[in-house]
Amino acid sequence: MTDAVGSIDTPDAQDEVTESKKKSRKGGKRAKKGPLKRLALFYRQIVAELRKVVWPTRHQLTSYTTVVIFFVAVMIALVTVIDYGLNHAAKYVFG
């Protein structure tokens, strides 16, 4: 059964062409560069990606930090209360 695009069982002719191109290439551009050039390229790409980041404003950063500190304090209190309760329950049951 084939439709306008092709069969599910057989790949399209375009897929076969790209697969043969991938197999015939050895190493590509990366194999021609030395390790120091590849490392320098890697760091340049890191800097380029960091320039794309939308950094928070000082007000946003302060509010986010306050929310995180408050949440951590609440979670510490919750875990402390549960630990205290389980400690007393274990002492009551075992001794």
Side-chain angles (χ1 to χ4, degrees):
M1 293 178 76
T2 60
D3 56 342
V5 177
S7 173
I8 296 174
D9 298 331
T10 60
D12 293 336
Q14 186 179 14
D15 294 339
E16 291 174 3
V17 171
T18 54
E19 287 177 8
S20 66
K21 284 182 182 178
K22 288 180 184 176
K23 290 179 184 175
S24 66
R25 240 175 58 181
K26 287 191 176 183
K29 293 181 182 178
R30 286 186 4 193
K32 296 178 184 175
K33 294 182 182 178
L36 290 178
K37 287 187 179 182
R38 288 193 320 225
L39 189 63
L41 174 66
F42 177 70
Y43 284 119
R44 279 195 307 257
Q45 290 174 345
I46 289 175
V47 170
E49 288 297 321
L50 284 175
R51 287 187 180 145
K52 295 178 188 177
V53 173
V54 179
W55 297 99
T57 62
R58 183 175 295 273
H59 178 59
Q60 290 173 333
L61 187 64
T62 336
S63 63
Y64 295 160
T65 305
T66 305
V67 168
V68 168
I69 290 174
F70 178 74
F71 178 76
V72 169
V74 168
M75 292 307 294
I76 289 172
L78 181 66
V79 169
T80 302
V81 167
I82 291 172
D83 184 48
Y84 183 74
L86 290 175
N87 186 18
H88 279 289
K91 283 182 182 178
Y92 178 74
V93 170
F94 297 113

